[in-house]
Amino acid sequence: IDNPSGIVQSSDVIAPILENPEIIIRREIEIIGLAVGYEQANRYTLMSRDRVLLGNMEEVDQGFLTFITRQLYRLHRPFTVRAYDVFGNHILTLRRKFSWINSRLQVLLPPNEKGEEVLVGESHQRWHLWRRQYNLFLREDSFTQFAIIDAPFLSYRFDLLNEQRRLMGIVWRQWMGIGTEVFTDVGEYVLSMDSASTAESVADEKVQGMSLDERAVMLATSISIDFDYFSRHSGRGGIIEP
């Protein structure tokens, strides 16, 4: 839906990507990390549901110090991920600080003509003994929560629910097959960006379509989900590592 008061507008370079009803995010294989358990910078490919390339996302690697930080802190580490379209334009920044328990991910537009990044919203992990939970916020006049994720233990499906607990969108972690899941670090996620794009939605249960700001925070949350629950090297080591 159009939101004239929103941060992300249809004229922004990220808008054509966010306007897709579904986005596929694929975490690419890490050969060294797979072999020896080293924590490498994550890289992702963005595709439409027809698997047309939309862009990519890369964890910023600032050299040896960043490498050491990744090895020491792993799942808890701070990181910055930048998203680019197919023309190489920087379209979005995701930034997460060090955290022992609950992660907090900021979603920012690239620097404007004044060199200032613009905060779109945040995704906060909420600790629970067995459930997988997040709170999603928009940065308007103040922070406004627009959705929650409250997924069961070991879930591969993460529903975005509004205040009335009605479906807004879904982040699906695709099952890649036993060989891929066990022996590689490839991961694939399908983002159904609003309830109208999900087959199980019923006409009288649909909520209004998601704004571009909401879609940007949802996309960022899928990266947090990948880091927190599905990145092989964040907790499992490598093939030749004890």
Side-chain angles (χ1 to χ4, degrees):
I1 61 172
D2 291 330
N3 181 14
S5 63
I7 303 298
V8 184
Q9 296 295 310
S10 57
S11 57
D12 290 317
V13 288
I14 193 175
I17 293 178
L18 296 178
E19 288 169 354
N20 281 271
E22 290 185 354
I23 295 176
I24 297 173
I25 301 178
R26 182 180 177 90
R27 175 163 35 84
E28 301 302 337
I29 190 169
E30 299 174 346
I31 300 299
I32 297 177
L34 177 62
V36 299
Y38 286 156
E39 187 86 357
Q40 292 183 273
N42 282 1
R43 292 176 173 81
Y44 303 86
T45 299
L46 301 175
M47 297 175 284
S48 71
R49 62 183 171 188
D50 299 323
R51 297 193 175 269
V52 175
L53 182 64
L54 300 175
N56 64 85
M57 305 177 76
E58 298 180 355
E59 184 180 353
V60 176
D61 192 341
Q62 297 177 330
F64 183 72
L65 181 60
T66 314
F67 172 81
I68 293 299
T69 300
R70 286 199 300 270
Q71 312 320 309
L72 292 176
Y73 296 132
R74 293 183 176 262
L75 190 63
H76 308 284
R77 75 182 191 261
F79 65 79
T80 298
V81 171
R82 290 177 181 161
Y84 302 89
D85 65 13
V86 292
F87 304 106
N89 297 310
H90 179 196
I91 57 176
L92 199 69
T93 298
L94 316 180
R95 184 171 294 125
R96 194 164 91 168
K97 296 181 179 179
F98 171 85
S99 63
W100 277 119
I101 301 176
N102 293 326
S103 64
R104 179 174 176 175
L105 182 69
Q106 291 184 318
V107 188
L108 307 111
L109 288 181
N112 55 26
E113 60 276 3
K114 297 180 181 179
E116 301 170 339
E117 293 180 315
V118 181
L119 181 63
V120 178
E122 294 187 354
S123 176
H124 297 181
Q125 185 186 28
R126 191 173 69 212
W127 184 88
H128 192 280
L129 186 59
W130 63 86
R131 298 188 71 84
R132 299 174 168 184
Q133 299 180 335
Y134 293 86
N135 294 329
L136 282 66
F137 298 89
L138 296 181
R139 180 69 171 97
E140 298 173 336
D141 294 331
S142 60
F143 279 100
T144 303
Q145 186 172 354
F146 71 92
I148 65 168
I149 292 174
D150 185 12
F153 180 63
L154 297 181
S155 178
Y156 271 43
R157 168 179 167 147
F158 300 81
D159 291 355
L160 273 71
L161 306 174
N162 68 4
E163 189 176 8
Q164 291 75 40
R165 307 287 293 191
R166 292 170 64 186
L167 184 66
M168 298 179 68
I170 304 173
V171 178
W172 303 85
R173 206 290 191 175
Q174 298 287 84
W175 174 254
M176 306 288 290
I178 188 67
T180 302
E181 294 286 341
V182 173
F183 297 109
T184 76
D185 198 28
V186 174
E188 190 167 285
Y189 301 82
V190 177
L191 279 60
S192 294
M193 302 297 281
D194 55 67
S195 65
S197 66
T198 64
E200 62 194 67
S201 295
V202 182
D204 62 354
E205 293 183 350
K206 290 178 184 175
V207 296
Q208 194 173 23
M210 297 172 67
S211 69
L212 293 176
D213 288 2
E214 292 168 338
R215 290 168 181 241
V217 176
M218 178 182 176
L219 186 151
T221 302
S222 69
I223 301 301
S224 257
I225 289 170
D226 178 61
F227 267 82
D228 293 335
Y229 298 113
F230 297 108
S231 186
R232 174 185 174 89
H233 51 254
S234 288
R236 289 182 279 173
I239 293 173
I240 64 175
E241 182 184 60

